[in-house]
Amino acid sequence: MQFEGAVVREQGVTFAAVIVKRHVVDNPALAGQAIASFRRAFPGMPLVLMGQDSSSRAKWFGRRDIVRFLANTPLGAIPWRRYSLS
């Protein structure tokens, strides 16, 4: 499976962000399952999810301090790239 994600190092914290469908971010049970499955690609890192609505507005799910930071970060400033998970 291929997906878009990023590894970010900010203020001494290294974490991962993964782009998912918006309905995943809106459903805590689905979001928890998604985080569990993506942990294999980012072992030992806190992981947050990002989904966008039809207006391309981002909504984040995950650790509150990271979500607060990312909510104030332009999406273009995040080093997104394609990852593979087998």
Side-chain angles (χ1 to χ4, degrees):
M1 168 175 73
Q2 292 194 338
F3 63 93
E4 297 292 321
V7 173
V8 179
R9 290 170 187 82
E10 184 64 35
Q11 299 177 357
V13 177
T14 301
F15 61 90
V18 175
I19 299 173
V20 296
K21 299 284 187 185
R22 176 64 184 255
H23 74 274
V24 174
V25 176
D26 289 337
N27 182 318
L30 287 177
Q33 291 171 359
I35 285 174
S37 68
F38 288 118
R39 282 205 194 282
R40 294 182 314 175
F42 306 103
M45 288 185 215
L47 197 140
V48 297
L49 305 176
M50 190 274 289
Q52 292 178 298
D53 64 15
S54 59
S55 299
S56 295
R57 284 181 297 224
K59 181 176 179 183
W60 296 92
F61 180 93
R63 213 170 93 179
R64 289 181 192 213
D65 59 331
I66 297 171
V67 166
R68 269 193 304 271
F69 168 75
L70 290 171
N72 294 305
T73 302
L75 291 179
I78 299 170
W80 300 110
R81 59 172 268 217
R82 183 164 297 281
Y83 289 87
S84 292
L85 188 63
S86 48

Coordinates of all heavy atoms in Angstrom, one line a residue:
M1 N 0.8 -1.2 0.0 CA 0.0 0.0 0.0 C 0.9 1.2 0.0 O 1.9 1.3 0.7 CB -0.9 0.0 1.2 CG -1.6 1.3 1.5 SD -2.8 1.3 2.8 CE -1.7 1.3 4.2
Q2 N 0.6 2.2 -0.8 CA 1.3 3.5 -0.9 C 0.4 4.6 -0.2 O -0.8 4.5 -0.4 CB 1.7 3.9 -2.3 CG 2.7 2.9 -2.9 CD 3.3 3.5 -4.1 OE1 2.7 4.4 -4.8 NE2 4.5 3.0 -4.5
F3 N 1.1 5.5 0.4 CA 0.4 6.6 1.1 C 1.3 7.8 1.2 O 2.5 7.7 1.0 CB -0.1 6.2 2.5 CG 1.0 5.8 3.4 CD1 1.5 6.8 4.3 CD2 1.5 4.6 3.5 CE1 2.5 6.5 5.2 CE2 2.6 4.3 4.4 CZ 3.0 5.2 5.2
E4 N 0.6 9.0 1.4 CA 1.4 10.2 1.6 C 1.6 10.5 3.1 O 0.6 10.4 3.9 CB 0.6 11.4 1.0 CG 0.4 11.3 -0.5 CD 1.7 11.4 -1.3 OE1 2.5 12.3 -0.9 OE2 1.8 10.7 -2.3
G5 N 2.8 10.8 3.5 CA 3.1 11.0 4.9 C 4.3 11.9 5.0 O 4.9 12.4 4.0
A6 N 4.6 12.2 6.2 CA 5.8 13.1 6.5 C 6.3 12.8 7.8 O 5.6 12.4 8.7 CB 5.3 14.6 6.4
V7 N 7.6 13.0 7.9 CA 8.3 12.9 9.2 C 8.8 14.3 9.5 O 9.4 15.0 8.7 CB 9.5 11.9 9.2 CG1 10.3 12.0 10.5 CG2 9.0 10.5 9.0
V8 N 8.4 14.8 10.7 CA 8.6 16.2 11.0 C 9.4 16.2 12.3 O 9.1 15.5 13.3 CB 7.3 17.0 11.2 CG1 7.6 18.4 11.6 CG2 6.5 16.9 10.0
R9 N 10.5 17.1 12.4 CA 11.2 17.3 13.6 C 11.0 18.8 14.0 O 11.4 19.7 13.2 CB 12.7 17.0 13.3 CG 13.0 15.6 13.2 CD 14.4 15.3 12.7 NE 14.6 13.9 12.3 CZ 14.3 13.4 11.1 NH1 13.7 14.1 10.2 NH2 14.5 12.1 10.9
E10 N 10.4 19.0 15.1 CA 10.1 20.3 15.5 C 10.2 20.4 17.1 O 9.7 19.6 17.8 CB 8.7 20.7 15.1 CG 8.3 22.1 15.4 CD 9.2 23.2 14.6 OE1 9.6 22.9 13.5 OE2 9.4 24.2 15.2
Q11 N 11.0 21.4 17.5 CA 11.1 21.7 18.9 C 11.5 20.4 19.7 O 11.0 20.1 20.8 CB 9.9 22.3 19.5 CG 9.6 23.6 18.9 CD 8.3 24.3 19.4 OE1 7.6 23.7 20.2 NE2 8.0 25.5 18.9
G12 N 12.4 19.6 19.2 CA 12.9 18.5 19.9 C 12.0 17.2 19.8 O 12.3 16.2 20.4
V13 N 10.9 17.3 19.0 CA 10.0 16.2 18.9 C 10.0 15.8 17.4 O 9.9 16.6 16.5 CB 8.6 16.6 19.3 CG1 7.6 15.5 19.1 CG2 8.5 17.1 20.7
T14 N 10.2 14.5 17.2 CA 10.1 13.9 15.9 C 8.8 13.1 15.8 O 8.5 12.3 16.7 CB 11.3 13.0 15.6 OG1 12.5 13.7 15.7 CG2 11.2 12.4 14.2
F15 N 7.9 13.4 14.9 CA 6.6 12.7 14.7 C 6.3 12.5 13.3 O 7.0 13.1 12.4 CB 5.5 13.5 15.4 CG 5.3 14.9 14.8 CD1 4.4 15.1 13.8 CD2 6.0 16.0 15.3 CE1 4.2 16.4 13.2 CE2 5.8 17.3 14.8 CZ 4.9 17.4 13.8
A16 N 5.3 11.7 13.0 CA 4.9 11.4 11.7 C 3.5 11.9 11.5 O 2.7 11.9 12.4 CB 5.0 9.9 11.4
A17 N 3.2 12.3 10.2 CA 1.8 12.6 9.8 C 1.5 11.9 8.6 O 2.3 11.6 7.7 CB 1.8 14.1 9.6
V18 N 0.2 11.4 8.5 CA -0.2 10.6 7.4 C -1.5 11.2 6.9 O -2.4 11.6 7.7 CB -0.5 9.2 7.8 CG1 -1.1 8.4 6.6 CG2 0.8 8.5 8.2
I19 N -1.7 11.3 5.5 CA -2.9 11.8 4.9 C -3.9 10.7 4.7 O -3.5 9.6 4.2 CB -2.6 12.5 3.6 CG1 -1.7 13.7 3.7 CG2 -3.9 12.9 2.9 CD1 -1.2 14.3 2.4
V20 N -5.1 10.9 5.2 CA -6.1 9.9 5.1 C -7.4 10.5 4.6 O -7.5 11.8 4.5 CB -6.4 9.1 6.4 CG1 -5.2 8.3 6.9 CG2 -6.9 10.1 7.5
K21 N -8.4 9.8 4.3 CA -9.7 10.3 3.9 C -10.3 11.0 5.1 O -10.1 10.6 6.3 CB -10.7 9.2 3.4 CG -10.2 8.5 2.2 CD -10.4 9.3 1.0 CE -10.1 8.4 -0.2 NZ -10.1 9.2 -1.4
R22 N -11.1 12.1 4.9 CA -11.6 12.9 5.9 C -12.5 12.1 6.9 O -12.5 12.3 8.1 CB -12.4 14.1 5.3 CG -13.1 14.9 6.3 CD -12.1 15.7 7.2 NE -12.8 16.4 8.2 CZ -13.0 17.8 8.2 NH1 -12.4 18.5 7.2 NH2 -13.6 18.4 9.1
H23 N -13.3 11.1 6.4 CA -14.2 10.4 7.2 C -13.4 9.5 8.3 O -13.9 9.2 9.3 CB -15.1 9.5 6.4 CG -14.5 8.2 5.8 ND1 -13.8 8.3 4.6 CD2 -14.4 7.0 6.3 CE1 -13.3 7.1 4.4 NE2 -13.6 6.3 5.4
V24 N -12.1 9.2 8.0 CA -11.3 8.5 9.0 C -11.0 9.4 10.1 O -11.1 9.0 11.3 CB -10.0 8.0 8.3 CG1 -9.1 7.4 9.3 CG2 -10.3 7.0 7.2
V25 N -10.6 10.7 9.9 CA -10.3 11.6 10.9 C -11.5 11.9 11.7 O -11.5 12.2 12.9 CB -9.7 12.9 10.3 CG1 -9.5 14.0 11.3 CG2 -8.4 12.6 9.5
D26 N -12.7 11.9 11.1 CA -14.0 12.3 11.8 C -14.5 11.2 12.7 O -15.4 11.4 13.5 CB -15.0 12.6 10.8 CG -14.8 14.0 10.1 OD1 -14.1 14.8 10.7 OD2 -15.3 14.2 9.0
N27 N -13.9 10.0 12.6 CA -14.4 8.8 13.3 C -13.2 8.3 14.2 O -12.3 7.7 13.7 CB -14.8 7.7 12.4 CG -15.4 6.5 13.1 OD1 -14.9 6.0 14.0 ND2 -16.5 6.0 12.5
P28 N -13.3 8.5 15.5 CA -12.2 8.2 16.4 C -11.8 6.7 16.3 O -10.7 6.3 16.4 CB -12.7 8.5 17.8 CG -13.7 9.6 17.6 CD -14.4 9.3 16.3
A29 N -12.8 5.8 16.2 CA -12.5 4.4 16.1 C -11.7 4.1 14.8 O -10.7 3.4 14.9 CB -13.8 3.5 16.1
L30 N -12.1 4.6 13.7 CA -11.4 4.4 12.4 C -10.0 5.1 12.5 O -9.0 4.5 12.0 CB -12.2 5.0 11.2 CG -13.4 4.2 10.8 CD1 -14.1 5.0 9.6 CD2 -13.0 2.8 10.3
A31 N -9.9 6.2 13.1 CA -8.7 6.9 13.2 C -7.7 6.1 14.1 O -6.5 6.0 13.7 CB -8.9 8.3 13.8
G32 N -8.2 5.5 15.1 CA -7.3 4.7 16.0 C -6.8 3.5 15.2 O -5.6 3.1 15.4
Q33 N -7.7 2.9 14.4 CA -7.2 1.7 13.6 C -6.2 2.1 12.6 O -5.2 1.4 12.3 CB -8.4 1.1 12.9 CG -9.4 0.4 13.8 CD -10.7 0.0 13.1 OE1 -10.9 0.2 11.9 NE2 -11.6 -0.6 13.9
A34 N -6.4 3.3 12.0 CA -5.5 3.8 10.9 C -4.1 4.1 11.6 O -3.1 3.7 11.0 CB -6.0 5.0 10.3
I35 N -4.1 4.7 12.7 CA -2.8 5.0 13.4 C -2.1 3.7 13.7 O -0.9 3.6 13.5 CB -3.1 5.9 14.7 CG1 -3.4 7.3 14.3 CG2 -1.9 5.8 15.6 CD1 -3.8 8.2 15.4
A36 N -2.9 2.7 14.2 CA -2.2 1.4 14.5 C -1.6 0.8 13.3 O -0.5 0.2 13.4 CB -3.3 0.5 15.2
S37 N -2.3 0.9 12.2 CA -1.7 0.2 11.0 C -0.5 1.0 10.4 O 0.4 0.4 9.9 CB -2.8 0.1 9.9 OG -3.2 1.3 9.4
F38 N -0.5 2.3 10.5 CA 0.6 3.1 10.0 C 1.8 3.1 10.9 O 2.9 3.5 10.5 CB 0.2 4.6 9.7 CG -0.7 4.7 8.5 CD1 -2.0 5.2 8.7 CD2 -0.3 4.4 7.3 CE1 -2.8 5.4 7.6 CE2 -1.1 4.5 6.2 CZ -2.4 5.0 6.3
R39 N 1.7 2.7 12.2 CA 2.8 2.6 13.1 C 3.9 1.8 12.6 O 5.1 2.0 12.9 CB 2.3 2.1 14.5 CG 1.6 3.1 15.3 CD 1.7 2.9 16.7 NE 0.8 3.7 17.5 CZ 0.9 4.9 17.7 NH1 2.0 5.6 17.3 NH2 0.0 5.6 18.4
R40 N 3.6 0.8 11.8 CA 4.7 -0.1 11.2 C 5.7 0.7 10.4 O 6.8 0.4 10.3 CB 4.1 -1.2 10.4 CG 3.3 -2.2 11.2 CD 2.8 -3.3 10.4 NE 2.2 -2.8 9.1 CZ 1.8 -3.5 8.1 NH1 1.8 -4.8 8.2 NH2 1.2 -2.9 7.1
A41 N 5.2 1.8 9.7 CA 6.0 2.6 8.8 C 6.8 3.6 9.6 O 7.8 4.1 9.2 CB 5.2 3.3 7.8
F42 N 6.4 3.9 10.9 CA 7.0 5.0 11.7 C 7.2 4.5 13.1 O 6.6 5.0 14.0 CB 6.2 6.2 11.7 CG 5.8 6.7 10.3 CD1 4.6 6.6 9.7 CD2 6.8 7.4 9.5 CE1 4.3 7.0 8.4 CE2 6.5 7.9 8.2 CZ 5.3 7.7 7.7
P43 N 7.9 3.4 13.3 CA 8.1 2.8 14.6 C 8.6 3.8 15.7 O 9.6 4.5 15.4 CB 9.0 1.6 14.4 CG 9.7 1.9 13.1 CD 8.8 2.7 12.3
G44 N 8.0 3.8 16.8 CA 8.5 4.6 17.9 C 8.1 6.1 17.9 O 8.5 6.9 18.8
M45 N 7.5 6.5 16.8 CA 7.1 8.0 16.6 C 5.7 8.2 16.9 O 4.8 7.4 16.6 CB 7.3 8.4 15.2 CG 8.8 8.5 14.7 SD 8.8 9.2 13.1 CE 10.2 8.4 12.4
P46 N 5.4 9.3 17.6 CA 4.0 9.7 17.7 C 3.5 9.9 16.2 O 4.2 10.3 15.4 CB 4.0 11.1 18.4 CG 5.4 11.1 19.0 CD 6.3 10.3 18.2
L47 N 2.2 9.6 16.0 CA 1.6 9.7 14.7 C 0.3 10.4 14.7 O -0.5 10.1 15.6 CB 1.4 8.2 14.2 CG 1.2 8.1 12.7 CD1 2.0 6.9 12.2 CD2 -0.2 8.0 12.3
V48 N 0.1 11.3 13.8 CA -1.1 12.0 13.6 C -1.7 11.8 12.2 O -0.9 11.5 11.3 CB -1.0 13.5 13.9 CG1 -0.6 13.8 15.4 CG2 0.0 14.2 13.0
L49 N -3.0 12.0 12.1 CA -3.6 11.9 10.8 C -4.2 13.2 10.3 O -4.6 14.0 11.1 CB -4.8 10.9 10.9 CG -4.5 9.5 11.4 CD1 -5.8 8.7 11.6 CD2 -3.5 8.8 10.5
M50 N -4.2 13.4 9.0 CA -4.7 14.6 8.4 C -5.7 14.2 7.3 O -5.4 13.4 6.4 CB -3.6 15.5 7.8 CG -4.1 16.9 7.4 SD -4.8 17.0 5.7 CE -3.4 16.8 4.7
G51 N -6.9 14.8 7.4 CA -7.9 14.6 6.3 C -8.4 16.0 5.9 O -8.3 17.0 6.7
Q52 N -8.8 16.1 4.6 CA -9.2 17.4 4.1 C -10.7 17.3 3.7 O -11.1 16.3 3.2 CB -8.4 17.8 2.9 CG -7.0 18.2 3.3 CD -6.2 18.5 2.1 OE1 -6.0 17.7 1.2 NE2 -5.7 19.8 2.1
D53 N -11.4 18.4 3.9 CA -12.8 18.5 3.4 C -12.8 18.9 1.9 O -11.8 19.1 1.3 CB -13.7 19.4 4.3 CG -13.2 20.8 4.3 OD1 -12.5 21.2 3.4 OD2 -13.7 21.6 5.2
S54 N -14.0 19.1 1.4 CA -14.1 19.5 0.0 C -13.5 20.8 -0.4 O -13.2 21.1 -1.5 CB -15.6 19.4 -0.5 OG -16.3 20.3 0.3
S55 N -13.3 21.6 0.6 CA -12.7 23.0 0.5 C -11.2 22.9 0.7 O -10.5 23.9 0.9 CB -13.3 24.0 1.4 OG -14.7 24.1 1.1
S56 N -10.6 21.7 0.9 CA -9.2 21.5 1.2 C -8.8 22.0 2.5 O -7.6 22.2 2.8 CB -8.3 22.1 0.1 OG -8.5 21.5 -1.1
R57 N -9.7 22.2 3.4 CA -9.3 22.5 4.8 C -8.9 21.3 5.6 O -9.6 20.3 5.5 CB -10.5 23.2 5.5 CG -10.8 24.6 5.1 CD -11.9 25.2 5.9 NE -13.1 24.4 5.5 CZ -14.3 24.9 5.3 NH1 -14.5 26.2 5.4 NH2 -15.3 24.1 5.0
A58 N -7.8 21.4 6.3 CA -7.2 20.2 7.0 C -7.9 20.1 8.3 O -8.2 21.0 9.0 CB -5.7 20.4 7.1
K59 N -8.1 18.8 8.7 CA -8.5 18.5 10.1 C -7.5 17.4 10.5 O -7.2 16.4 9.8 CB -9.9 17.9 10.1 CG -10.4 17.6 11.5 CD -11.8 17.1 11.6 CE -12.2 16.8 13.0 NZ -13.6 16.3 13.1
W60 N -7.0 17.6 11.7 CA -6.0 16.7 12.3 C -6.6 15.8 13.4 O -7.5 16.2 14.1 CB -4.9 17.5 12.8 CG -4.2 18.3 11.8 CD1 -4.4 19.6 11.4 CD2 -3.1 17.9 11.0 NE1 -3.6 20.0 10.4 CE2 -2.8 19.0 10.1 CE3 -2.3 16.7 10.9 CZ2 -1.7 18.9 9.2 CZ3 -1.3 16.6 9.9 CH2 -1.0 17.7 9.1
F61 N -6.0 14.6 13.6 CA -6.4 13.7 14.6 C -5.1 13.1 15.2 O -4.2 12.7 14.5 CB -7.2 12.6 14.1 CG -7.6 11.6 15.2 CD1 -8.8 11.8 15.9 CD2 -6.8 10.5 15.6 CE1 -9.2 10.9 16.9 CE2 -7.2 9.7 16.6 CZ -8.4 9.8 17.2
G62 N -5.0 13.2 16.5 CA -3.8 12.6 17.2 C -3.5 13.4 18.4 O -4.3 14.0 19.1
R63 N -2.2 13.3 18.8 CA -1.7 13.9 20.0 C -2.0 15.4 20.0 O -1.6 16.1 19.0 CB -0.2 13.6 20.2 CG 0.2 13.5 21.6 CD 1.6 13.0 21.7 NE 2.6 14.1 21.7 CZ 3.9 13.9 21.8 NH1 4.4 12.7 21.8 NH2 4.7 15.0 21.9
R64 N -2.6 15.9 21.1 CA -3.1 17.3 21.1 C -2.0 18.3 20.8 O -2.2 19.3 20.1 CB -3.7 17.6 22.4 CG -5.1 16.9 22.5 CD -5.7 17.2 23.8 NE -6.8 16.3 24.0 CZ -7.9 16.6 24.7 NH1 -8.1 17.8 25.2 NH2 -8.9 15.7 24.8
D65 N -0.8 18.2 21.4 CA 0.2 19.2 21.2 C 0.7 19.2 19.7 O 0.9 20.3 19.2 CB 1.4 19.0 22.1 CG 2.1 17.6 22.0 OD1 1.4 16.6 21.6 OD2 3.3 17.5 22.3
I66 N 0.8 18.0 19.1 CA 1.2 18.0 17.7 C 0.1 18.5 16.8 O 0.3 19.3 15.9 CB 1.5 16.5 17.3 CG1 2.8 16.1 18.1 CG2 1.8 16.4 15.8 CD1 3.1 14.6 18.0
V67 N -1.2 18.2 17.1 CA -2.3 18.7 16.4 C -2.4 20.2 16.4 O -2.6 20.9 15.4 CB -3.6 18.0 16.8 CG1 -4.8 18.8 16.3 CG2 -3.7 16.6 16.4
R68 N -2.2 20.8 17.6 CA -2.2 22.2 17.8 C -1.1 22.9 16.9 O -1.3 23.9 16.2 CB -2.0 22.6 19.2 CG -3.3 22.8 20.0 CD -3.0 23.5 21.3 NE -2.1 22.8 22.2 CZ -2.3 21.9 23.0 NH1 -3.6 21.5 23.2 NH2 -1.4 21.3 23.7
F69 N 0.1 22.3 16.9 CA 1.2 22.8 16.1 C 0.9 22.7 14.7 O 1.0 23.7 13.9 CB 2.5 22.0 16.4 CG 3.6 22.3 15.4 CD1 4.3 23.4 15.5 CD2 3.9 21.3 14.5 CE1 5.3 23.7 14.6 CE2 4.9 21.6 13.5 CZ 5.6 22.8 13.6
L70 N 0.4 21.6 14.2 CA 0.1 21.4 12.8 C -1.0 22.3 12.3 O -1.1 22.7 11.1 CB -0.1 19.9 12.4 CG 1.2 19.1 12.6 CD1 0.8 17.6 12.4 CD2 2.2 19.4 11.5
A71 N -2.0 22.5 13.1 CA -3.1 23.3 12.8 C -2.7 24.7 12.4 O -3.4 25.4 11.7 CB -4.2 23.4 13.9
N72 N -1.5 25.2 12.9 CA -1.0 26.5 12.6 C 0.1 26.5 11.6 O 0.8 27.5 11.5 CB -0.6 27.2 13.9 CG -1.8 27.4 14.8 OD1 -2.7 28.1 14.4 ND2 -1.7 26.9 16.0
T73 N 0.3 25.3 11.0 CA 1.4 25.2 10.0 C 0.8 25.1 8.6 O -0.1 24.3 8.4 CB 2.2 23.9 10.3 OG1 2.7 24.0 11.7 CG2 3.4 23.7 9.4
P74 N 1.3 25.9 7.6 CA 0.8 25.7 6.3 C 1.1 24.3 5.7 O 2.2 23.8 6.0 CB 1.6 26.7 5.5 CG 2.2 27.7 6.5 CD 2.3 26.9 7.8
L75 N 0.1 23.7 5.1 CA 0.3 22.3 4.6 C 1.5 22.2 3.6 O 2.2 21.2 3.6 CB -0.9 21.8 3.8 CG -2.1 21.6 4.7 CD1 -3.3 21.1 3.9 CD2 -1.8 20.5 5.8
G76 N 1.8 23.3 2.9 CA 3.0 23.3 2.0 C 4.3 23.3 2.7 O 5.3 23.0 2.1
A77 N 4.3 23.6 4.0 CA 5.6 23.6 4.7 C 5.9 22.2 5.3 O 7.0 22.0 5.9 CB 5.5 24.6 5.9
I78 N 5.0 21.3 5.2 CA 5.2 19.9 5.7 C 5.9 19.1 4.6 O 5.4 19.2 3.5 CB 3.8 19.3 6.2 CG1 3.2 20.2 7.3 CG2 4.0 17.9 6.6 CD1 1.8 19.8 7.6
P79 N 6.9 18.4 5.0 CA 7.7 17.7 3.9 C 7.0 16.3 3.5 O 7.5 15.2 3.8 CB 9.0 17.4 4.6 CG 8.7 17.3 6.1 CD 7.6 18.3 6.3
W80 N 5.9 16.5 2.8 CA 5.1 15.3 2.4 C 5.9 14.5 1.4 O 6.6 15.1 0.6 CB 3.8 15.7 1.8 CG 2.9 16.5 2.7 CD1 2.6 17.8 2.5 CD2 2.2 16.0 3.8 NE1 1.7 18.1 3.5 CE2 1.4 17.0 4.3 CE3 2.1 14.7 4.4 CZ2 0.6 16.9 5.4 CZ3 1.3 14.6 5.5 CH2 0.6 15.7 6.0
R81 N 5.8 13.2 1.4 CA 6.4 12.3 0.4 C 5.6 11.0 0.4 O 4.8 10.7 1.3 CB 7.8 12.0 0.7 CG 8.2 11.4 2.0 CD 9.6 11.0 2.1 NE 9.7 9.6 1.6 CZ 10.5 8.7 2.1 NH1 11.4 9.0 3.1 NH2 10.5 7.5 1.7
R82 N 5.8 10.2 -0.6 CA 5.1 8.9 -0.8 C 5.9 7.8 0.0 O 7.1 7.7 -0.2 CB 5.0 8.6 -2.2 CG 4.1 7.3 -2.5 CD 3.7 7.1 -3.9 NE 2.8 8.2 -4.3 CZ 1.5 8.2 -4.1 NH1 0.9 7.3 -3.4 NH2 0.8 9.2 -4.5
Y83 N 5.1 7.0 0.7 CA 5.7 5.9 1.5 C 5.0 4.6 1.0 O 3.9 4.7 0.5 CB 5.4 6.1 3.0 CG 6.3 7.1 3.6 CD1 5.8 8.5 3.7 CD2 7.5 6.8 4.2 CE1 6.6 9.5 4.3 CE2 8.2 7.8 4.9 CZ 7.8 9.1 4.9 OH 8.5 10.1 5.5
S84 N 5.7 3.5 1.2 CA 5.1 2.2 0.9 C 5.0 1.4 2.2 O 5.9 1.4 3.0 CB 5.9 1.4 -0.1 OG 5.9 2.1 -1.3
L85 N 3.9 0.7 2.4 CA 3.7 -0.2 3.5 C 3.3 -1.5 3.0 O 2.3 -1.6 2.3 CB 2.7 0.4 4.5 CG 2.5 -0.2 5.8 CD1 3.7 -0.2 6.7 CD2 1.3 0.5 6.6
S86 N 4.0 -2.6 3.3 CA 3.7 -3.9 2.8 C 3.1 -4.8 3.9 O 3.2 -4.5 5.0 CB 4.8 -4.5 2.1 OG 6.0 -4.5 2.8

